[in-house]
Structures are given as C-alpha cells and as structure tokens.
Amino acid sequence: MKIIVNGEARTVTEPYTAAELVEAMGLTGQRVAMEVNMEIVPRSRYGEYRFNPEDRVEVVHAVGGG
C-alpha cells in the first residue's frame, strides 16, 4: 500500500500503524506530532491507528537547541 509521508511516497505493508511509521523513521522515544489527512493523531493512539491507502501523513519532531 502507498502512503505519502512528508510529501514523499512510501510503500508500506498492510496493515501499517502510526507506531510502525515512527519506528521506521527512527523517531522512537522522541517527541513527535503526526497529522493524517489534516487531522492530528493523538500519540496515545499510535499503536492502534492504521493507515489507509493514499493517506497523506505529516510527521514533525521537536529539535532541541538554544
């Protein structure tokens, strides 16, 4: 199945969860926010939230600095 992540097409297995995407992006344990089709997915639902074909996903993570 194909989803769009941060503007780039990504082929993933079905079913594929938000938690799997975070892990695949190397962001496990980091502060991230995810939006799917312009709706925020609560972090508490990442393990159960499953993507649908052609979903448009935006993932951002906090970067420290000062």
Side-chain angles (χ1 to χ4, degrees), residues 12 17 23 30 40 46 49 51 55 64:
V12 297
T17 66
E23 182 177 338
Q30 296 185 35
I40 299 294
Y46 284 5
Y49 187 91
F51 297 110
D55 274 349

Side-chain angles (χ1 to χ4, degrees), residues 10-11 17 19 35 52:
R10 182 182 287 235
T11 301
T17 66
E35 177 184 277
N52 295 305

Side-chain angles (χ1 to χ4, degrees), residues 4-60:
I4 309 300
V5 180
N6 294 344
E8 295 184 13
R10 182 182 287 235
T11 301
V12 297
T13 58
E14 201 171 337
Y16 199 72
T17 66
E20 289 174 301
L21 177 60
V22 169
E23 182 177 338
M25 294 178 75
L27 300 173
T28 302
Q30 296 185 35
R31 295 179 59 131
V32 299
M34 185 179 302
E35 177 184 277
V36 179
N37 302 324
M38 300 181 67
E39 293 194 20
I40 299 294
V41 177
R43 191 175 334 164
S44 62
R45 293 196 52 227
Y46 284 5
E48 66 190 54
Y49 187 91
R50 293 184 176 166
F51 297 110
N52 295 305
E54 303 298 325
D55 274 349
R56 298 184 85 60
V57 183
E58 294 294 324
V59 178
V60 295

